[in-house]
Amino acid sequence: MKTLIAISDSHGHKENLEALSRVFEECDYIVHLGDGRADMREISEKYPEKTYVLKGNCDLCGGLKEAEIQIEGVKVFACHGDLYRVKSEPYTLAAEAKERGAGVALYGHTHRAAIETVNGVTLVCPGNLKSPLYRGGTYAYLVIDKEKCVATLVGAEQVDE
């Protein structure tokens, strides 16, 4: 069994990432889906073997736009989402993930936490860490075991909007 924390859109609010330090330490994978890439410098240095930091549309510095991660028999496709029109529809992202053989696609960009299944692909948006967790910030926590993935959104205030 492996665990993954997916975060996105911290937009310079490093203090909200610091609040998750215990989760970062305990999980097997850390994925930041962009728009706050520079916020992850210390975390990437502390956990280089398990951290993936992607470039979002607001990140000025270079970096990966996409990643594919194989975990316990589950292929995870990760991206910021802006190149796949995630603000208007989920089908383009689901089709790209399916074409890559991924059963899970992680994305950011919308700032709205969501989990949905489209054409057999589980799409997970962790929302944003622009706000503190107790005031609307959210993240996603995934448990992957024997080709099965269970995703949970943490920070329900934003999820229930």
Side-chain angles (χ1 to χ4, degrees):
M1 178 178 77
K2 301 289 183 184
T3 57
L4 180 151
I5 181 173
I7 52 182
S8 189
D9 297 278
S10 51
H11 289 283
H13 294 272
K14 287 173 46 173
E15 69 279 5
N16 298 334
L17 294 171
E18 291 166 9
L20 295 172
S21 62
R22 194 165 188 190
V23 180
F24 293 148
E25 183 179 325
E26 294 175 355
C27 69
D28 298 300
Y29 297 88
I30 302 165
V31 181
H32 190 294
L33 298 163
D35 285 357
R37 188 175 189 288
D39 305 340
M40 292 293 291
R41 183 169 293 128
E42 292 171 16
I43 295 160
S44 294
E45 290 172 357
K46 189 171 184 177
Y47 307 109
E49 70 288 346
K50 66 180 183 178
T51 304
Y52 296 80
V53 182
L54 304 179
K55 181 181 179 182
N57 61 300
C58 293
D59 292 318
L60 300 177
C61 52
L64 294 174
K65 290 292 283 179
E66 302 172 342
E68 294 179 16
I69 311 164
Q70 189 74 34
I71 306 170
E72 295 273 310
V74 174
K75 189 173 196 177
V76 177
F77 172 58
C79 64
H80 184 61
D82 55 318
L83 301 178
Y84 298 99
R85 303 189 325 227
V86 296
K87 283 189 175 181
S88 59
E89 51 87 10
Y91 305 104
T92 303
L93 176 60
E96 179 67 23
K98 194 165 200 153
E99 184 174 307
R100 293 171 181 249
V104 176
L106 305 176
Y107 68 98
H109 190 56
T110 68
H111 290 219
R112 293 193 53 87
I115 300 172
E116 64 181 315
T117 301
V118 176
N119 296 330
V121 178
T122 302
L123 305 178
V124 180
C125 180
N128 78 85
L129 276 180
K130 189 173 170 181
S131 303
L133 292 177
Y134 63 88
R135 291 184 42 216
T138 55
Y139 66 91
Y141 190 83
L142 289 75
V143 177
I144 302 170
D145 187 29
K146 298 184 180 111
E147 300 182 12
K148 182 178 179 185
C149 177
V150 176
T152 303
L153 298 172
V154 181
E157 289 178 35
Q158 178 157 341
V159 177
D160 293 338
E161 287 182 0

